[in-house]
Amino acid sequence: MSARAALDTPLCAALGVRYPIIQSAMGWVANSQLVSASARAGAFPFLAVATLTADEAEQEIVRVRELTDTPFGVNFLMEQPGARQIVEAIVRHDVRAAGYSRSPNAALIAELKERGVLCVATVGLPRHAEKAVQLGADIVIAQGAEGGGHTGSLATTQLVPLVVAAVDVPVVAAGGFADGRGLIAALALGASGIAMGTRFLLTTESPVPDRVKRRYLEAGPDDTVVSKRIDGLPQRVLRNEFVQELESSGTLDRIVESLKNARTFRAGSKASLGALIRSALALRSTAGANVLHAANTAVLARRALVDGDVIGGVLPAGQVVGRITDLPTCQALVERVVAEAHTTLDALAA
Ligand SMILES: Cc1cc2nc3c(=O)[nH]c(=O)nc-3n(C[C@H](O)[C@H](O)[C@H](O)COP(=O)(O)O)c2cc1C
């Protein structure tokens, strides 16, 4: 098989995308600007709307549509306030795929599929992949422990072959990918492509302030840490003063901080207190998040990724951050990954 044909995987056909490369959803990062740039470059991007209101989500979907006519997906939380309205917007604007991870909702998945939207579930364990496919997932993203943001404990090299063996839909490898060698390694493990988060955060079109990008670029391979203290779920972030304090703080301090963040989140989300409590309870029952601390992730990541506070906010990051040293355009990044994948395959064949 030629190197070119090797990259034309079932994922490309399923998503209608040129290369088997997904730009991952990242709250406050994967906005219409980044999504349209990575879509134009030949990757399949997910717009991240879990931190937006339903109206803001629809505006962003419309904006992507204005900027590019290539296919893209929308990633949301099925228990977030306004989830039903987001589903309507996905269908109305002919979005190719809906992405979700924690707390999948069987009724919403069935409805999305019925209305022609591909369902893409992110999982961290083989049994979660099986469950996701039973619930209707058309594609599964297997994110290993190296990955940024909420993450599991199985390394990508262990997780991907187990998920490939467990399900019969295309599997995308995520967690630790940044280049063409990684793409070929993922294909060798049985995946149909890769998803990259941290790598796309560090591009010129990523909306993150320059000083924050510099903070990421300075990080080494052991500068990330997995903390459960942000919202109760394990989350891989850059080690900074805030996270170190959080790890050593007492219960009372954390409760006070969480209540402040819940108030900030409520003001920003314009959701009723009842809707937010329902959303937090759904997260706890399905994913084990802590109700009291549920709003922390959105507020603390916003503080860093939007307001630029690299000391007092939370900076989700994969271990791969230690290998990333530049800020290419999305176009240059995708071209480089594809070119390197081709030369890697040629070198292996030789
Ligand atoms: C800054 C940042 C924000 C993220 N936000 C989300 C999110 O809102 N929803 C989600 O499903 N995953 C989120 N993730 C996880 C990514 O979608 C992806 O699975 C992960 O970045 C892959 O690992 P990598 O960073 O090693 O490429 C986030 C990751 C990062 C780095």
Coordinates of all heavy atoms in Angstrom, one line a residue, residues 105-187:
N105 N -26.4 10.5 26.9 CA -27.9 10.4 27.2 C -28.5 9.6 26.0 O -28.4 10.1 24.8 CB -28.4 11.9 27.2 CG -29.9 11.9 27.3 OD1 -30.6 11.3 26.6 ND2 -30.4 12.7 28.2
A106 N -29.0 8.5 26.3 CA -29.5 7.5 25.3 C -30.5 8.2 24.3 O -30.4 8.0 23.1 CB -30.0 6.3 25.9
A107 N -31.4 8.9 24.9 CA -32.5 9.5 24.1 C -31.9 10.6 23.1 O -32.3 10.6 22.0 CB -33.5 10.2 25.0
L108 N -31.0 11.4 23.6 CA -30.4 12.4 22.8 C -29.5 11.8 21.7 O -29.5 12.2 20.5 CB -29.5 13.4 23.6 CG -30.2 14.5 24.4 CD1 -29.2 15.5 25.0 CD2 -31.2 15.2 23.6
I109 N -28.8 10.7 22.0 CA -28.0 10.0 21.0 C -28.9 9.4 19.9 O -28.6 9.6 18.7 CB -27.1 8.9 21.7 CG1 -26.1 9.6 22.6 CG2 -26.4 8.1 20.6 CD1 -25.3 8.6 23.5
A110 N -30.0 8.8 20.3 CA -30.9 8.2 19.4 C -31.5 9.3 18.4 O -31.5 9.1 17.2 CB -32.0 7.5 20.1
E111 N -31.8 10.4 19.0 CA -32.4 11.5 18.2 C -31.3 12.1 17.2 O -31.7 12.3 16.1 CB -32.9 12.6 19.2 CG -33.5 13.7 18.4 CD -34.1 14.8 19.3 OE1 -34.3 14.6 20.5 OE2 -34.2 15.9 18.7
L112 N -30.1 12.3 17.7 CA -29.1 12.8 16.8 C -28.9 11.8 15.6 O -28.8 12.3 14.5 CB -27.7 12.9 17.6 CG -27.6 14.2 18.5 CD1 -26.5 14.0 19.5 CD2 -27.4 15.4 17.7
K113 N -28.8 10.5 15.9 CA -28.6 9.5 14.9 C -29.7 9.5 13.9 O -29.5 9.5 12.7 CB -28.4 8.2 15.5 CG -27.0 8.0 16.1 CD -26.9 6.7 16.9 CE -26.8 5.5 16.0 NZ -25.5 5.2 15.5
E114 N -30.9 9.6 14.4 CA -32.1 9.6 13.6 C -32.1 10.7 12.6 O -32.6 10.7 11.5 CB -33.3 9.7 14.5 CG -34.6 9.0 14.0 CD -35.6 8.9 15.1 OE1 -35.5 8.0 16.0 OE2 -36.4 9.8 15.1
R115 N -31.6 11.9 13.1 CA -31.6 13.1 12.3 C -30.3 13.3 11.5 O -30.0 14.3 11.0 CB -31.9 14.3 13.2 CG -33.3 14.1 13.8 CD -33.6 15.1 14.9 NE -34.0 16.4 14.3 CZ -34.4 17.5 15.1 NH1 -34.3 17.4 16.4 NH2 -34.7 18.6 14.5
G116 N -29.5 12.2 11.4 CA -28.4 12.1 10.5 C -27.1 12.7 11.0 O -26.1 13.0 10.2
V117 N -26.9 12.8 12.3 CA -25.7 13.4 12.9 C -24.9 12.2 13.4 O -25.4 11.3 14.1 CB -26.0 14.4 14.1 CG1 -24.7 14.9 14.6 CG2 -26.9 15.5 13.6
L118 N -23.6 12.2 13.1 CA -22.7 11.1 13.6 C -22.4 11.3 15.1 O -22.2 12.5 15.5 CB -21.3 11.1 12.8 CG -21.3 10.6 11.4 CD1 -19.9 10.9 10.8 CD2 -21.5 9.1 11.4
C119 N -22.4 10.3 15.8 CA -22.2 10.4 17.3 C -20.7 9.9 17.6 O -20.4 8.8 17.3 CB -23.2 9.6 18.0 SG -24.8 10.4 17.9
V120 N -20.0 10.8 18.2 CA -18.5 10.5 18.5 C -18.3 10.6 20.0 O -18.4 11.7 20.6 CB -17.6 11.5 17.7 CG1 -16.2 11.2 18.0 CG2 -17.9 11.5 16.2
A121 N -18.0 9.4 20.6 CA -17.9 9.4 22.1 C -16.4 9.3 22.4 O -15.7 8.5 21.8 CB -18.6 8.2 22.6
T122 N -16.0 10.1 23.4 CA -14.6 10.0 23.9 C -14.6 9.1 25.2 O -15.4 9.3 26.1 CB -14.0 11.4 24.2 OG1 -14.0 12.1 23.0 CG2 -12.6 11.2 24.8
V123 N -13.7 8.1 25.2 CA -13.7 7.2 26.4 C -12.2 7.0 26.9 O -11.3 7.3 26.1 CB -14.3 5.8 26.0 CG1 -15.7 5.9 25.5 CG2 -13.4 5.1 25.0
G124 N -12.1 6.5 28.1 CA -10.8 6.3 28.7 C -10.6 4.8 29.1 O -9.5 4.5 29.6
L125 N -11.6 4.0 28.9 CA -11.5 2.6 29.3 C -12.2 1.7 28.2 O -13.2 2.1 27.6 CB -12.2 2.3 30.6 CG -11.4 2.7 31.9 CD1 -12.3 2.5 33.1 CD2 -10.1 1.9 32.0
P126 N -11.8 0.5 28.0 CA -12.4 -0.4 27.0 C -13.9 -0.6 27.3 O -14.7 -0.6 26.4 CB -11.6 -1.7 27.0 CG -10.3 -1.3 27.6 CD -10.5 -0.1 28.5
R127 N -14.2 -0.8 28.5 CA -15.7 -1.1 28.8 C -16.5 0.1 28.6 O -17.7 0.0 28.2 CB -15.8 -1.6 30.3 CG -15.5 -0.7 31.4 CD -16.0 -1.2 32.7 NE -15.8 -0.3 33.8 CZ -14.6 -0.1 34.4 NH1 -13.6 -0.9 34.1 NH2 -14.5 0.8 35.4
H128 N -15.9 1.3 28.7 CA -16.7 2.5 28.4 C -16.9 2.6 26.8 O -17.9 3.1 26.4 CB -16.0 3.8 28.9 CG -16.0 3.9 30.4 ND1 -15.2 4.8 31.1 CD2 -16.7 3.1 31.3 CE1 -15.4 4.6 32.4 NE2 -16.3 3.6 32.5
A129 N -15.9 2.1 26.1 CA -16.1 2.1 24.6 C -17.2 1.2 24.2 O -18.0 1.5 23.4 CB -14.8 1.7 24.0
E130 N -17.3 0.0 24.8 CA -18.4 -0.9 24.5 C -19.7 -0.3 24.8 O -20.6 -0.4 24.0 CB -18.2 -2.2 25.3 CG -17.1 -3.1 24.8 CD -16.7 -4.3 25.7 OE1 -17.5 -4.6 26.6 OE2 -15.6 -4.8 25.6
K131 N -19.8 0.3 26.0 CA -21.1 0.9 26.4 C -21.4 2.0 25.4 O -22.6 2.2 25.0 CB -20.9 1.5 27.8 CG -22.0 2.2 28.4 CD -23.0 1.2 29.0 CE -24.4 1.8 29.3 NZ -24.4 2.8 30.3
A132 N -20.4 2.8 25.0 CA -20.7 3.9 24.1 C -21.2 3.4 22.8 O -22.2 4.0 22.2 CB -19.4 4.7 23.9
V133 N -20.7 2.3 22.3 CA -21.2 1.8 21.0 C -22.6 1.2 21.2 O -23.4 1.4 20.3 CB -20.1 0.7 20.4 CG1 -20.7 0.0 19.2 CG2 -18.8 1.5 20.1
Q134 N -22.8 0.5 22.3 CA -24.2 0.0 22.6 C -25.2 1.2 22.5 O -26.3 1.0 22.1 CB -24.2 -0.6 23.9 CG -23.8 -2.1 24.0 CD -23.5 -2.5 25.4 OE1 -24.0 -1.9 26.4 NE2 -22.7 -3.6 25.6
L135 N -24.8 2.3 23.0 CA -25.7 3.5 23.1 C -25.8 4.2 21.7 O -26.5 5.1 21.6 CB -25.2 4.5 24.1 CG -25.4 4.2 25.6 CD1 -24.7 5.2 26.5 CD2 -26.9 4.2 25.9
G136 N -24.9 3.8 20.8 CA -25.1 4.3 19.4 C -23.9 5.0 18.8 O -24.0 5.6 17.7
A137 N -22.7 5.1 19.5 CA -21.6 5.8 19.0 C -21.2 5.3 17.6 O -21.1 4.1 17.5 CB -20.4 5.8 20.0
D138 N -20.9 6.2 16.7 CA -20.5 5.7 15.3 C -19.0 5.7 15.3 O -18.4 5.0 14.4 CB -21.0 6.7 14.3 CG -22.5 6.8 14.3 OD1 -23.2 5.8 13.9 OD2 -23.1 7.8 14.7
I139 N -18.3 6.5 16.1 CA -16.9 6.6 16.2 C -16.5 6.7 17.7 O -17.2 7.4 18.4 CB -16.4 7.8 15.4 CG1 -16.7 7.7 13.9 CG2 -14.9 8.1 15.6 CD1 -16.5 8.9 13.1
V140 N -15.4 6.1 18.1 CA -15.0 6.2 19.4 C -13.6 6.9 19.5 O -12.7 6.5 18.7 CB -14.9 4.8 20.1 CG1 -14.2 4.9 21.4 CG2 -16.3 4.3 20.3
I141 N -13.4 7.9 20.3 CA -12.1 8.5 20.5 C -11.6 7.9 21.8 O -12.2 8.0 22.9 CB -12.1 10.0 20.6 CG1 -12.7 10.6 19.3 CG2 -10.7 10.6 21.0 CD1 -12.8 12.1 19.4
A142 N -10.4 7.2 21.8 CA -9.8 6.5 23.0 C -8.7 7.5 23.5 O -7.7 7.6 22.8 CB -9.3 5.2 22.6
Q143 N -9.0 8.2 24.6 CA -8.0 9.1 25.1 C -7.3 8.5 26.2 O -7.8 8.2 27.3 CB -8.7 10.4 25.5 CG -7.6 11.4 25.9 CD -8.1 12.6 26.7 OE1 -9.1 13.2 26.3 NE2 -7.4 12.9 27.8
G144 N -6.0 8.4 26.1 CA -5.1 7.8 27.1 C -4.7 8.8 28.1 O -5.0 10.0 28.0
A145 N -4.1 8.3 29.2 CA -3.8 9.1 30.4 C -2.8 10.3 30.1 O -2.8 11.3 30.8 CB -3.1 8.2 31.4
E146 N -2.1 10.3 29.0 CA -1.2 11.4 28.6 C -1.9 12.6 28.3 O -1.4 13.7 28.3 CB -0.3 11.0 27.4 CG 0.5 9.8 27.5 CD -0.1 8.5 27.0 OE1 -1.3 8.3 27.4 OE2 0.5 7.7 26.3
G147 N -3.2 12.5 27.9 CA -4.0 13.6 27.3 C -4.2 14.7 28.3 O -4.3 14.5 29.5
G148 N -4.5 15.9 27.7 CA -4.8 17.1 28.5 C -6.3 17.1 28.9 O -7.1 16.5 28.2
G149 N -6.6 17.9 29.9 CA -8.0 18.0 30.4 C -8.4 16.7 31.2 O -7.5 16.0 31.7
H150 N -9.7 16.5 31.3 CA -10.2 15.3 32.0 C -9.6 14.0 31.3 O -9.6 13.9 30.1 CB -11.7 15.2 31.9 CG -12.3 16.2 32.8 ND1 -13.1 17.3 32.3 CD2 -12.3 16.5 34.1 CE1 -13.5 18.0 33.3 NE2 -13.0 17.6 34.4
T151 N -9.1 13.1 32.1 CA -8.3 12.0 31.6 C -8.4 10.8 32.5 O -8.7 10.9 33.7 CB -6.9 12.5 31.3 OG1 -6.3 11.6 30.4 CG2 -6.0 12.5 32.5
G152 N -8.1 9.6 31.9 CA -8.2 8.4 32.7 C -6.8 8.0 33.1 O -5.9 8.8 33.1
S153 N -6.6 6.7 33.5 CA -5.4 6.3 34.0 C -4.6 5.3 33.1 O -3.5 5.0 33.3 CB -5.6 5.6 35.4 OG -6.5 4.5 35.2
L154 N -5.3 4.8 32.0 CA -4.6 3.9 31.1 C -3.8 4.7 30.0 O -4.4 5.6 29.4 CB -5.6 3.0 30.3 CG -6.0 1.7 30.9 CD1 -6.8 0.9 29.9 CD2 -4.7 0.9 31.3
A155 N -2.6 4.3 29.8 CA -1.8 5.0 28.8 C -2.3 4.7 27.4 O -2.9 3.7 27.1 CB -0.3 4.5 28.8
T156 N -2.1 5.7 26.5 CA -2.6 5.5 25.1 C -2.2 4.2 24.5 O -3.0 3.6 23.8 CB -2.2 6.7 24.3 OG1 -2.6 7.9 24.9 CG2 -2.8 6.7 22.9
T157 N -0.9 3.8 24.7 CA -0.4 2.6 24.0 C -1.2 1.3 24.5 O -1.2 0.3 23.9 CB 1.1 2.4 24.3 OG1 1.3 2.6 25.7 CG2 1.9 3.3 23.5
Q158 N -1.7 1.4 25.7 CA -2.5 0.3 26.3 C -4.0 0.4 25.9 O -4.6 -0.6 25.5 CB -2.4 0.2 27.8 CG -1.0 0.2 28.3 CD -0.1 -0.8 27.6 OE1 -0.5 -2.0 27.6 NE2 1.0 -0.4 27.1
L159 N -4.5 1.6 26.0 CA -5.9 1.8 25.7 C -6.3 1.5 24.3 O -7.3 0.8 24.0 CB -6.3 3.2 26.1 CG -7.7 3.7 25.9 CD1 -8.6 2.9 26.8 CD2 -7.9 5.2 26.1
V160 N -5.6 2.1 23.3 CA -6.0 2.0 21.9 C -6.2 0.6 21.4 O -7.3 0.2 20.9 CB -5.1 2.8 21.0 CG1 -5.4 2.6 19.6 CG2 -5.2 4.3 21.4
P161 N -5.2 -0.3 21.6 CA -5.4 -1.7 21.1 C -6.6 -2.4 21.8 O -7.3 -3.2 21.2 CB -4.1 -2.4 21.3 CG -3.2 -1.5 22.0 CD -3.8 -0.1 22.1
L162 N -6.8 -2.1 23.1 CA -7.9 -2.7 23.8 C -9.2 -2.3 23.3 O -10.1 -3.0 23.1 CB -7.8 -2.4 25.3 CG -6.7 -3.2 26.1 CD1 -6.5 -2.6 27.5 CD2 -7.0 -4.7 26.2
V163 N -9.3 -1.0 23.0 CA -10.6 -0.4 22.5 C -10.8 -0.9 21.0 O -11.9 -1.3 20.7 CB -10.6 1.1 22.5 CG1 -11.8 1.7 21.8 CG2 -10.6 1.6 24.0
V164 N -9.7 -1.0 20.2 CA -9.9 -1.5 18.9 C -10.4 -2.9 18.9 O -11.3 -3.3 18.1 CB -8.5 -1.4 18.1 CG1 -8.5 -2.2 16.8 CG2 -8.1 0.0 17.9
A165 N -9.9 -3.7 19.9 CA -10.4 -5.1 19.9 C -11.8 -5.2 20.5 O -12.5 -6.1 20.2 CB -9.5 -5.9 20.9
A166 N -12.2 -4.2 21.2 CA -13.5 -4.3 21.9 C -14.7 -3.8 21.1 O -15.8 -4.2 21.3 CB -13.5 -3.4 23.2
V167 N -14.5 -2.9 20.1 CA -15.6 -2.4 19.3 C -15.4 -2.5 17.8 O -14.2 -2.7 17.4 CB -15.8 -0.9 19.7 CG1 -16.2 -0.7 21.1 CG2 -14.6 0.0 19.3
D168 N -16.5 -2.4 17.0 CA -16.3 -2.6 15.6 C -16.6 -1.3 14.8 O -17.1 -1.3 13.7 CB -17.1 -3.7 15.1 CG -18.6 -3.6 15.4 OD1 -18.9 -2.5 16.0 OD2 -19.4 -4.5 15.2
V169 N -16.4 -0.1 15.5 CA -16.5 1.1 14.8 C -15.1 1.8 14.7 O -14.2 1.3 15.4 CB -17.4 2.1 15.5 CG1 -18.8 1.5 15.6 CG2 -16.9 2.4 16.9
P170 N -14.9 2.8 13.8 CA -13.5 3.4 13.8 C -13.1 4.0 15.1 O -13.9 4.6 15.8 CB -13.7 4.5 12.7 CG -14.9 4.1 11.9 CD -15.8 3.3 12.8
V171 N -11.9 3.7 15.5 CA -11.3 4.2 16.8 C -10.3 5.3 16.5 O -9.4 5.1 15.6 CB -10.7 3.0 17.6 CG1 -10.0 3.5 18.8 CG2 -11.8 2.0 17.9
V172 N -10.4 6.4 17.2 CA -9.4 7.4 17.0 C -8.5 7.5 18.3 O -9.1 7.4 19.4 CB -10.1 8.8 16.9 CG1 -9.1 9.9 16.7 CG2 -11.1 8.8 15.7
A173 N -7.2 7.5 18.1 CA -6.3 7.6 19.3 C -6.1 9.0 19.7 O -5.8 9.9 18.9 CB -5.0 6.9 18.9
A174 N -6.2 9.3 21.0 CA -5.9 10.6 21.5 C -5.1 10.5 22.8 O -5.1 9.5 23.5 CB -7.2 11.3 21.8
G175 N -4.3 11.6 23.0 CA -3.5 11.7 24.2 C -2.1 11.4 23.9 O -1.6 10.3 23.7
G176 N -1.3 12.5 23.7 CA 0.1 12.4 23.4 C 0.5 12.6 22.0 O 1.7 12.3 21.6
F177 N -0.4 13.0 21.1 CA 0.0 13.1 19.7 C 0.3 14.5 19.2 O -0.4 15.5 19.7 CB -1.1 12.5 18.8 CG -1.3 11.0 19.0 CD1 -2.3 10.6 19.9 CD2 -0.4 10.1 18.5 CE1 -2.5 9.2 20.1 CE2 -0.5 8.8 18.8 CZ -1.6 8.3 19.6
A178 N 1.3 14.7 18.4 CA 1.7 16.0 18.0 C 2.3 16.0 16.6 O 2.6 17.0 16.0 CB 2.7 16.6 18.9
D179 N 2.6 14.8 16.0 CA 3.4 14.8 14.8 C 3.0 13.5 13.9 O 2.2 12.7 14.3 CB 4.9 14.8 15.1 CG 5.3 13.7 16.0 OD1 4.6 12.6 16.1 OD2 6.3 13.8 16.7
G180 N 3.7 13.4 12.8 CA 3.4 12.3 11.8 C 3.9 11.0 12.3 O 3.2 10.0 12.0
R181 N 4.9 10.9 13.1 CA 5.4 9.6 13.6 C 4.3 9.1 14.6 O 4.0 7.9 14.6 CB 6.7 9.8 14.4 CG 7.9 10.0 13.5 CD 9.1 10.2 14.3 NE 8.9 11.4 15.2 CZ 9.7 11.7 16.3 NH1 10.7 10.9 16.5 NH2 9.4 12.7 17.0
G182 N 3.7 10.0 15.4 CA 2.6 9.6 16.3 C 1.4 9.1 15.5 O 0.8 8.1 15.9
L183 N 1.1 9.7 14.4 CA 0.0 9.3 13.6 C 0.2 7.9 13.0 O -0.7 7.0 13.1 CB -0.2 10.3 12.4 CG -1.2 9.9 11.3 CD1 -2.6 9.5 11.9 CD2 -1.4 11.0 10.3
I184 N 1.4 7.6 12.6 CA 1.7 6.2 12.1 C 1.7 5.2 13.2 O 1.2 4.1 13.1 CB 3.0 6.2 11.3 CG1 3.0 7.1 10.1 CG2 3.4 4.8 10.9 CD1 1.8 6.8 9.1
A185 N 2.2 5.6 14.4 CA 2.2 4.7 15.5 C 0.7 4.4 15.9 O 0.4 3.2 16.2 CB 2.9 5.3 16.7
A186 N -0.2 5.4 15.8 CA -1.6 5.1 16.2 C -2.2 4.2 15.2 O -3.0 3.3 15.5 CB -2.3 6.5 16.2
L187 N -1.9 4.4 13.9 CA -2.5 3.5 12.8 C -2.0 2.1 13.1 O -2.7 1.1 12.9 CB -2.1 3.9 11.4 CG -2.6 5.3 11.0 CD1 -2.3 5.6 9.5 CD2 -4.1 5.5 11.2

